[in-house]
Amino acid sequence: MQASRAAQDAPAGYHGRSTIPGVRMKTTLLAPLALLFAFNVHAAGPAAGDAANAAPLATIPSLDVKRYLGTWYEIAKFPNRFQKKCVGFTTATYSARADRRVDVVNRCRLADGNDNVATGIARQPEGPSSPKLEVRFAPAILSFLPMVWGDYWVIDLDPNYQLVAVSEPKREYLWILSRTPRVDPAAYDALLGRLSAQGLDMNRLVPTKQAQ
């Protein structure tokens, strides 16, 4: 899930550590995956990627966290420096906690063949059905600091909770995640069209290598 510049430097793994979702990301929680085949990524909408002139980023109406739990594969993302050491096989796993928050485990493969793992916590500051989550990968002792919590906004999600797009207000970060390592090309292209219409620059999107 889905940070301020200061938070990007905070200890955590990819998606919020300096090696993931994840977003203005004070930290990110998005850990998706990738396809071995590249999709045609082109902007399909007026002024795609011109975030400065775009309307405020819209989220989905509501999020059922219980349905969202489990493992997601990273299909594609906007390149970011905290994931630059990841060569692929990126996943994000979410688990319910007794305090109504969510445990986050982001994992990716490094060039040496080892896995890089980052653990964090996600919360919903605007209520249990809010699609605007925040994620923290910094130590719990720093949880009182606003900058260690990163925005994790669910901006597109299919009714069956199989394909999702996560970003943040400034549109600097984007992750596309799926329940499976491969995605139907038609569903993927339709998603890209909707994201482009939201002012996200699809020319920046890079597919993630995933196991087949």
Side-chain angles (χ1 to χ4, degrees), residues 18-135:
S18 64
T19 68
I20 151 193
V23 212
R24 196 169 80 223
M25 280 199 59
K26 301 164 190 173
T27 23
T28 303
L29 152 115
L30 299 155
L33 34 83
L35 310 169
L36 292 181
F37 57 94
F39 292 104
N40 290 326
V41 179
H42 28 211
D50 190 1
N53 297 321
L57 187 66
T59 65
I60 62 173
S62 64
L63 178 69
D64 184 341
V65 172
K66 290 183 178 180
R67 296 184 63 192
Y68 197 77
L69 299 177
T71 297
W72 292 84
Y73 295 86
E74 182 179 281
I75 302 300
K77 67 179 182 298
F78 282 176
N80 56 74
R81 66 185 185 82
F82 41 85
Q83 271 184 281
K84 66 182 180 181
K85 294 183 179 180
C86 297
V87 298
F89 307 98
T90 305
T91 61
T93 301
Y94 310 126
S95 305
R97 293 167 51 95
D99 61 4
R100 296 185 180 181
R101 294 187 179 188
V102 175
D103 281 326
V104 180
V105 178
N106 288 331
R107 183 185 304 270
C108 77
R109 185 74 48 80
L110 301 177
D112 62 7
N114 292 316
D115 286 346
N116 185 42
V117 180
T119 59
I121 292 178
R123 66 184 183 184
Q124 290 173 288
E126 297 185 16
S129 64
S130 174
K132 297 180 180 180
L133 294 88
E134 294 179 343
V135 180

Side-chain angles (χ1 to χ4, degrees), residues 161-175:
Y161 281 58
Q162 297 298 303
L163 184 63
V164 65
V166 179
S167 187
E168 45 74 43
K170 292 185 176 181
R171 297 177 173 84
E172 294 178 4
Y173 301 90
L174 173 67
W175 291 268

